[in-house]
Amino acid sequence: MKEEMDRAQAELNALKRTEEDLKKGHQKLEEMVTRLDQEVTEVDKNIELLKKKKDRRTRSSALEKKWKASQKINNDIDEVQCSYSTTLFIKQILEACMLRKNANFEDTLIFYLGEALRRGVIDLDIFSKRS
């Protein structure tokens, strides 16, 4: 009977150790699941951030293409204007118009209009309307 009790006690001790090991393993698994959930949340945030950056880059690329196309159109318009300009005076006026950022634009325009008036290319009425 004593042997039976000792054997049962040994089995009970082994089962208790197994139970403790299982509880520790369960706790570790719960911690791992919690960390994985946090990592999944972090990855989802990063995916959203990357999508936003990609959208911005795509929009930026589209705007750049539109800008380049508009520059090409502006260059084509400039070429058309210059090709139809028959006199040096008109080409000089067009060049002055294209340089609008220049602070002396108005002075240049008045100068060339004065020169055109002096040479007889335009009359006083046109000169007074433009200056």
Side-chain angles (χ1 to χ4, degrees), residues 32-130:
M32 290 172 75
V33 167
T34 302
R35 274 188 281 149
L36 284 174
D37 286 341
Q38 290 172 346
E39 288 180 14
V40 166
T41 303
E42 185 82 19
V43 167
D44 288 341
K45 287 179 184 177
N46 288 336
I47 288 172
E48 286 301 315
L49 181 65
L50 287 173
K51 284 180 181 178
K52 288 178 183 177
K53 286 183 179 182
K54 181 183 175 186
D55 289 344
R56 281 189 216 133
R57 191 173 301 131
T58 302
R59 277 187 255 133
S60 175
S61 176
L63 287 173
E64 185 177 342
K65 286 178 184 176
K66 287 181 181 179
W67 183 80
K68 285 180 180 179
S70 71
Q71 290 300 314
K72 184 178 183 308
I73 290 171
N74 286 342
N75 289 341
D76 291 345
I77 290 171
D78 292 343
E79 288 176 20
V80 167
Q81 287 175 341
C82 288
S83 67
Y84 286 103
S85 301
T86 56
T87 64
L88 178 62
F89 166 71
I90 292 175
K91 286 182 183 178
Q92 290 171 339
I93 293 294
L94 287 174
E95 287 175 10
C97 290
M98 290 178 202
L99 299 173
R100 288 185 182 150
K101 292 180 182 176
N102 186 352
N104 297 324
F105 170 73
E106 290 181 19
D107 293 339
T108 305
L109 181 62
I110 291 172
F111 171 77
Y112 283 116
L113 285 171
E115 284 295 307
L117 178 65
R118 188 179 64 78
R119 292 180 184 170
V121 176
I122 61 172
D123 61 4
L124 185 59
D125 187 39
I126 293 174
F127 176 79
S128 62
K129 285 180 185 177
R130 301 293 180 205

Side-chain angles (χ1 to χ4, degrees), residues 15-28:
L15 288 173
K16 283 184 180 181
R17 277 180 279 170
T18 304
E19 180 185 22
E20 288 174 15
D21 289 343
L22 288 173
K23 285 182 180 179
K24 288 178 184 177
H26 179 72
Q27 185 179 3
K28 285 182 181 180

